[in-house]
Amino acid sequence: MNRPIRRIGAVFAILLLAMIANVTFIQVFKAADYRDRPGNQRQLLAQYDRERGPIVVSTDAAARSIETGDTLRYQRVYSNGELYAPITGFYSLVYGATGLERTENKILNGSSDLLFVDRTKQLFAGRQIQGGSVVTTINPDAQVAAYEGLGTKVGAVVAIEPSTGKILASAQSPSFDPNILSTHKPAEIRTYYESLTADPDKPLLNRPIVALNPPGSTFKLVTTAAALASGRFTPDSLLPGPKTYQLPNSTKRINNWNRTACGPGGMVTLRQALAISCNTAFAWLGNELGADALRTQAQLMGFDSRFELPLRAARSTFPEDPDAPQTSLSAIGQYEVRATALQMAMVGAAIGNKGVLMNPFMVQEIRGPDLSVLQTTQPSVFKQAMTAANAATEAELMVNVVNNGTGSNARISGVDVAGKTGTAQTGNDRPSVAWFVSFAPAQNPKVAVAVCIEQAGTSEISGNGLAAPIAKKVMQAILKQS
């Protein structure tokens, strides 16, 4: 064999080894990844031949499969599709899956290891493989109250059971109809999907857990918790609350919403400052505490962390290194502080649950096709966000907000409601954002609620006027109080 032939042979040998290595890598290490990608049409077509399990709210199926009699044997249908869309997502032939349809796909299509025994039984019995059931934590009454309360407003509502972290409601407006995205008519699916993606109000955005907005004065709950934790302040501590506040090291000033001083001689107690949402007092307090103390308290309440419900929530943030004027603005929920409705519901839940913040979750149980329980989510602690004594003190301050301050529209007869209003400036052409964070009953809360209204279609924007009535309806639905 001469030298050129040996070289050509060596090149082909290298190419052959490279091809074998690549094929081995794909088949052994990447096969499952490629197979499970949402856009894998071959996998989707195979799965349409199986009866996909239901997504259950209380005892009813919010999503289930029906036989079609055509080439694709099963089709996904949704009861009250727009109501539960932020939870179920959709299961589309064209666009794959979102929501629990995506995160719980292996359970729903029957391929999860949890369903191995069921698959084996079905195989030996000669039956078609069925998927398992995903039972959510959603309370249908609370979900309806939240969705109907939002109406035509652009916004989101999240309700949590403080003692466990169960998500009781996760509603948004606008929403979308997953039934249209789950038909077997690709042209109809594409037309509807394109109309949704072109909508400036972004109905496909999972607003309750993904949309980030400045929390405005509801962040004063975090600042108050930091003040109590410092040991330097009590509810009766006097704070400066002048008509306007000169930001340190800056020529800029901030005002109170009513452009008056917050108390006699421009002095106000911490209790009264929270009740009337005094900007100048909390801006001053923010600089007294410092950015590190505010950030530490915010992180104890879930900021700067990621949560999976199993739907992935956006990370709410506190600024990394604010200077003195930026710290003042951060203390009142402005500058670069950003939060989801989920995050602010968690702030309320932590205060209501004696300072213990539970990890939020949305799936209660996984069940087999025979409805046997295969897995139950156990509540788990995220952080001890504040001492029980400070939590009780702050809860009392929040009751005062509702009974004697800016949160009057959340009052429920015979029930102590704890709450905090917020109206956040967005700093651009968008209107201000209206917030309300609450829990009830204040001494032993069954529910914590956060309402965020991004656009209400009105010039009168306030947390008490727009968001508190919705929170009240959700709390009433859980407490079954009129």
Side-chain angles (χ1 to χ4, degrees):
M1 184 180 296
N2 60 35
R3 189 172 181 181
I5 292 176
R6 286 200 302 274
R7 287 179 175 175
I8 293 172
V11 169
F12 275 106
I14 292 171
L15 291 175
L16 179 62
L17 289 173
M19 184 182 70
I20 291 172
N22 188 48
V23 170
T24 302
F25 177 74
I26 291 174
Q27 292 293 327
V28 175
F29 298 105
K30 300 297 290 184
D33 182 36
Y34 291 152
R35 184 184 63 240
D36 295 338
R37 286 185 178 182
N40 186 341
Q41 294 295 304
R42 178 176 293 181
Q43 186 71 2
L44 282 175
L45 289 171
Q47 290 178 4
Y48 272 85
D49 200 40
R50 292 182 181 182
E51 183 175 357
R52 194 171 170 83
I55 298 174
V56 178
V57 174
S58 186
T59 57
D60 298 324
R64 59 192 173 90
S65 294
I66 60 169
E67 284 205 69
T68 63
D70 59 27
T71 305
L72 297 176
R73 185 174 175 185
Y74 290 100
Q75 179 175 323
R76 208 63 169 156
V77 295
Y78 300 84
S79 302
N80 296 310
E82 294 190 359
L83 175 65
Y84 294 117
I87 299 153
T88 63
F90 59 77
Y91 186 73
S92 171
L93 185 65
V94 179
Y95 296 107
T98 63
L100 290 180
E101 293 279 25
R102 182 180 67 81
T103 62
E104 303 306 287
N105 184 49
K106 288 187 175 180
I107 295 295
L108 296 168
N109 71 17
S111 64
S112 168
D113 291 343
L114 287 174
L115 297 167
F116 175 77
V117 174
D118 286 279
R119 281 200 306 274
T120 303
K121 289 179 181 176
Q122 291 162 10
L123 183 64
F124 279 104
R127 296 195 301 267
Q128 182 69 32
I129 292 177
Q130 286 182 274
S133 305
V134 174
V135 182
T136 70
T137 58
I138 299 298
N139 180 300
D141 293 335
Q143 185 74 10
V144 169
Y147 182 69
E148 292 183 348
L150 287 170
T152 59
K153 305 177 189 69
V154 177
V157 180
V158 172
I160 296 177
E161 185 176 74
S163 62
T164 62
K166 290 180 183 176
I167 305 291
L168 301 175
S170 182
Q172 70 179 52
S173 175
S175 187
F176 64 92
D177 186 355
N179 286 296
I180 303 176
L181 294 172
S182 303
T183 69
H184 294 172
K185 302 173 181 175
E188 186 176 320
I189 293 171
R190 289 191 178 92
T191 300
Y192 185 55
Y193 187 85
E194 288 169 5
S195 72
L196 293 173
T197 55
D199 188 331
D201 291 332
K202 301 179 180 178
L204 285 176
L205 182 71
N206 197 329
R207 204 167 235 109
I209 65 171
V210 171
L212 290 164
N213 286 288
S217 291
T218 56
F219 192 80
K220 291 171 184 170
L221 296 174
V222 178
T223 305
T224 299
L228 296 174
S230 73
R232 298 166 52 199
F233 299 93
T234 71
D236 296 320
S237 295
L238 279 174
L239 316 176
K243 178 180 176 181
T244 62
Y245 175 69
Q246 177 77 53
L247 293 176
N249 306 324
S250 171
T251 58
K252 294 186 178 180
R253 308 174 72 88
I254 62 173
N255 305 312
N256 292 316
W257 64 273
N258 58 2
R259 298 184 182 276
T260 63
C262 295
M267 299 297 290
V268 63
T269 64
L270 176 58
R271 181 193 313 277
Q272 185 66 2
L274 191 71
I276 62 175
S277 204
C278 180
N279 281 342
T280 56
F282 274 91
W284 175 87
L285 184 58
N287 268 309
E288 285 295 305
L289 297 168
D292 289 345
L294 292 176
R295 183 184 304 102
T296 297
Q297 185 61 62
Q299 291 175 342
L300 286 171
M301 290 179 156
F303 280 77
D304 296 331
S305 291
R306 295 191 183 278
F307 295 92
E308 297 196 5
L309 314 171
L311 307 186
R312 179 170 294 180
R315 186 167 61 93
S316 299
T317 57
F318 186 84
E320 287 188 6
D321 188 26
D323 59 21
Q326 291 164 350
T327 298
S328 288
L329 292 172
S330 298
I332 60 172
Q334 295 286 173
Y335 182 51
E336 292 182 350
V337 182
R338 295 292 182 271
T340 61
L342 170 68
Q343 172 60 72
M344 295 316 297
M346 290 169 63
V347 169
I351 298 168
N353 193 38
K354 299 179 175 58
V356 179
L357 177 59
M358 306 299 290
N359 282 303
F361 63 99
M362 187 178 281
V363 174
Q364 181 63 66
E365 290 178 345
I366 301 299
R367 292 176 177 261
D370 60 356
L371 299 182
S372 59
V373 178
L374 303 178
Q375 189 176 76
T376 301
T377 303
Q378 298 299 324
S380 59
V381 174
F382 172 71
K383 291 281 178 59
Q384 179 77 43
M386 56 198 304
T387 66
N390 284 348
T393 297
E394 186 154 5
E396 184 269 324
L397 296 181
M398 292 175 68
V399 172
N400 187 50
V401 171
V402 173
N403 290 344
N404 303 300
T406 57
S408 57
N409 285 339
R411 293 174 191 161
I412 299 174
S413 178
V415 177
D416 278 340
V417 175
K420 181 68 192 81
T421 54
T423 305
Q425 296 174 344
T426 59
N428 51 37
D429 293 335
R430 290 174 51 201
S432 296
V433 178
W435 285 89
F436 195 74
V437 175
S438 60
F439 56 85
Q443 293 74 25
N444 183 27
K446 304 299 181 189
V447 59
V449 185
V451 178
C452 176
I453 306 297
E454 297 179 33
Q455 295 181 47
T458 174
S459 59
E460 294 293 327
I461 298 173
S462 75
N464 192 43
L466 295 173
I470 301 173
K472 175 181 176 179
K473 291 291 185 185
V474 176
M475 289 186 285
Q476 286 177 312
I478 295 295
L479 301 177
K480 302 190 184 304
Q481 294 270 346
S482 59

